[in-house]
Amino acid sequence: MRTEIQKLRRGKSTKAERIFLEILKELHIRFKTKVIISGREVDFLVKNYAIEINGHPQYIDKNEMLIQNGYIPLHINNEDLFNDKQLIKQQIKTLC
């Protein structure tokens, strides 16, 4: 398995990803962002969770690949980030 880390940059990230980034920072949770695992980009890694911020349907084969590489796929909907940040904060706290 090859893992490569990139930085989250405006113009190469979505508003929802930047909101989630701020939530992680606020909660003092260690993370990696824009990680390439087996040739596929993952929005965030928190512990063994591969977190995708979804504004579009995700592919089942990507989830299967993440599981095969020892990660737990977790999908967060853009609308939830925009409309209920407190719920997302609570969910992330329970994971960490």
Side-chain angles (χ1 to χ4, degrees):
M1 171 187 71
R2 183 169 178 230
T3 302
E4 178 184 319
I5 301 170
Q6 301 174 4
K7 291 187 178 183
L8 192 65
R9 292 189 172 95
R10 187 176 272 234
K12 294 196 179 213
S13 63
T14 65
K15 181 177 179 180
E17 289 171 343
R18 291 188 301 274
I19 290 170
F20 188 70
L21 173 79
E22 292 305 316
I23 288 170
L24 293 175
K25 286 181 178 181
E26 180 182 324
L27 296 175
H28 304 287
I29 294 173
R30 295 182 70 176
F31 65 91
K32 295 176 184 173
T33 186
K34 298 298 181 187
V35 179
I36 307 296
I37 301 172
S38 295
R40 306 287 296 269
E41 184 178 276
V42 175
D43 294 330
F44 294 91
L45 284 182
V46 175
K47 296 187 177 184
N48 63 331
Y49 292 95
I51 302 173
E52 295 280 55
I53 309 302
N54 300 331
H56 55 82
Q58 297 296 306
Y59 298 102
I60 294 171
D61 64 324
K62 185 175 183 180
N63 285 341
E64 291 171 352
M65 176 276 299
L66 290 168
I67 291 167
Q68 290 172 356
N69 282 286
Y71 296 98
I72 301 167
L74 177 63
H75 298 273
I76 298 175
N77 187 286
N78 285 0
E79 293 303 314
D80 292 337
L81 275 169
F82 297 141
N83 298 323
D84 199 350
K85 287 186 227 176
Q86 289 303 96
L87 175 64
I88 300 299
K89 285 180 186 180
Q90 290 172 347
Q91 292 173 338
I92 296 302
K93 281 183 192 178
T94 60
L95 297 177
C96 301

